Amino acid sequence: EDPALLAAFEARIAAGESIEPKDWMPERYRKQLTRMMSQHAHSEIVGMLPEGNWITRAPSLRRKLSLIAKVQDEAGHGLYIYCGTETLGVDRHELVEQLLDGRAKYSSIFNYPTLAWADMGVIGWLVDGAAIVNQTVLAKASYGPYARAMVRICKEENFHKRQGYEICTVLANGTPAQKAMLQDSVNRFWWPALMMFGPSDTNSPNSAELLRWRVKRKTNDELRQRFVNLTVPQAIALGLTIPDPDLHFNEATGDWEFGEIDWSEFYEVVKGNGPCNQERMETRRAAHENGEWVRAAATAHAEKQRARRDT
Ligand code: 3HC
């Protein structure tokens, strides 16, 4: 690449400027953003499945309404971020193929089963809570379309977290069986939620470049720690136990220090060997095949519209 162009690009990044689709950018920058944004979009789409599992079994119409709204939001987030990848010159159909044939990654968290209604509350509270910590910082990313998408998505994530925490609050103040169901859900989702932030900084091959180019503004471990510091008091407020015997508050740093993450579990799930990876991919492939007629109808309609315009 032209060293002068690269130097000018680096100067723009250092000055905190926003890089826009038509601006010159190093191919590596484009590639990194395509990787990160496409996996983010895939995560949103696959993320609909664990919660979709409980829409028909929500305990009340009010709970069903907010869960349907949340799952619908996730679909919108996915489509919105796929639009963002298209500003990088990517064809979203190629990205969808990469997801369906197992070449693409999506967030590990969605490969865990949703076994009880309490999981809907805990996912809203912990998983969307983690996403908010991650995405409020991504809203300051150097690539304009991605940063702007995060602003709108974070507003909706806040609704997701609130509806989740409200479910948890009701269960925490409910019968002993409801409280036990909630505690069991926290036990199953706490550590996978910490894994959403990625490997530790010492094992994060992409972070250095992403930080230098101000796509990432904080490291994986910094965001993970911020999430833990935010969330532990919320668990204490509900009388819940965090399943980590090493968790303790450090007065000097103000951090809730936590135990070692099981990185072998993390890499197994990322590799495709989590509890639900196969089921999630099968469901996505079936949905894609069953939706073929919709795509064909939309294409036929668009061609008729075009023909009518051109006559
Ligand atoms: N699940 C699956 N793969 C993961 C992962 C996770 N939790 N964490 C890291 N990885 C992968 C990375 O993709 C990378 O693999 P690749 O090079 O083949 O893509 C590898 O592990 C090494 O990790 P790095 O730390 O080097 O990767 P990144 O610098 O990209 O950091 C990240 C990982 C923090 C997830 C970052 O990509 C990111 O912030 N992405 C945008 C946000 C996002 O995707 N969030 C997904 C959460 S789902 C969500 O928000 C939906 C909401 O509705 C709940």
Side-chain angles (χ1 to χ4, degrees):
E1 270 156 348
D2 179 335
L5 282 174
L6 190 54
F9 174 82
E10 300 275 4
R12 292 192 64 204
I13 294 286
E17 287 184 32
S18 200
I19 306 299
E20 297 301 328
K22 292 193 177 2
D23 294 347
W24 185 88
M25 62 185 82
E27 269 322 294
R28 186 76 192 140
Y29 181 86
R30 186 185 302 278
K31 195 167 166 359
Q32 272 285 22
L33 276 156
T34 302
R35 175 191 68 85
M36 200 167 158
M37 291 170 73
S38 58
Q39 287 173 180
H40 192 165
H42 296 330
S43 303
E44 303 280 4
I45 299 299
V46 176
M48 294 163 69
L49 298 175
E51 291 172 311
N53 177 30
W54 281 89
I55 287 175
T56 56
R57 294 184 281 170
S60 71
L61 189 55
R62 177 169 175 266
R63 291 290 182 218
K64 187 194 284 263
L65 282 173
S66 62
L67 187 56
I68 288 177
K70 175 181 190 307
V71 172
Q72 189 178 329
D73 279 353
E74 308 298 9
H77 296 173
L79 298 180
Y80 205 46
I81 300 172
Y82 282 132
C83 287
T85 61
E86 287 171 336
T87 68
L88 291 160
V90 178
D91 174 353
R92 89 166 64 185
H93 300 95
E94 166 54 23
L95 298 180
V96 171
E97 279 316 305
Q98 288 169 11
L99 174 66
L100 296 178
D101 66 21
R103 278 178 289 154
K105 290 188 170 71
Y106 58 88
S107 189
S108 49
I109 188 69
F110 297 122
N111 290 309
Y112 289 83
T114 47
L115 306 173
W117 169 253
D119 293 6
M120 295 304 102
V122 169
I123 285 178
W125 171 36
L126 297 185
V127 176
D128 292 73
I132 289 168
V133 169
N134 171 285
Q135 292 165 175
T136 42
V137 174
L138 274 176
K140 301 184 183 70
S142 57
Y143 188 57
Y146 197 24
R148 290 189 292 271
M150 289 305 108
V151 173
R152 169 169 156 199
I153 287 177
C154 284
K155 288 192 175 88
E156 293 177 340
E157 293 295 350
N158 273 290
F159 148 63
H160 299 172
K161 179 175 175 179
R162 287 182 203 290
Q163 64 89 38
Y165 195 62
E166 197 230 356
I167 292 171
C168 294
T169 307
V170 167
L171 295 175
N173 294 293
T175 63
Q178 286 175 322
K179 188 157 174 130
M181 175 176 59
L182 177 62
Q183 182 60 61
D184 170 64
S185 183
V186 171
N187 295 345
R188 286 184 284 111
F189 278 96
W190 175 257
W191 290 102
L194 298 195
M195 295 175 196
M196 285 175 69
F197 292 93
S200 58
D201 294 348
T202 47
N203 291 314
S204 172
N206 296 291
S207 280
E209 210 168 29
L210 290 171
L211 288 161
R212 186 160 65 81
W213 279 336
R214 295 161 71 104
V215 176
K216 272 188 173 180
R217 307 302 302 276
K218 294 276 177 203
T219 71
N220 295 0
D221 289 333
E222 283 171 342
L223 291 180
R224 194 178 354 255
Q225 184 63 67
R226 179 181 290 188
F227 169 73
V228 172
N229 289 350
L230 256 177
T231 310
V232 170
Q234 293 169 346
I236 293 171
L238 295 187
L240 292 166
T241 310
I242 298 285
D244 175 2
D246 299 324
L247 186 72
H248 64 277
F249 188 65
N250 179 323
E251 295 286 347
T253 61
D255 286 338
W256 280 94
E257 292 176 1
F258 50 92
E260 188 54 24
I261 290 173
D262 178 350
W263 293 113
S264 60
E265 176 183 333
F266 170 76
Y267 286 108
E268 275 306 295
V269 177
V270 172
K271 260 189 340 210
N273 305 324
C276 298
N277 295 57
Q278 190 181 337
E279 177 192 335
R280 300 291 183 236
M281 282 296 97
E282 282 164 5
T283 309
R284 276 302 315 134
R285 287 188 194 109
H288 190 74
E289 278 148 34
N290 297 339
E292 176 52 38
W293 68 272
V294 177
R295 289 190 293 278
T299 306
H301 178 64
E303 272 154 21
K304 263 193 219 156
Q305 296 271 61
R306 214 183 346 270
R308 214 171 284 141
R309 256 201 321 273
D310 298 349
T311 49

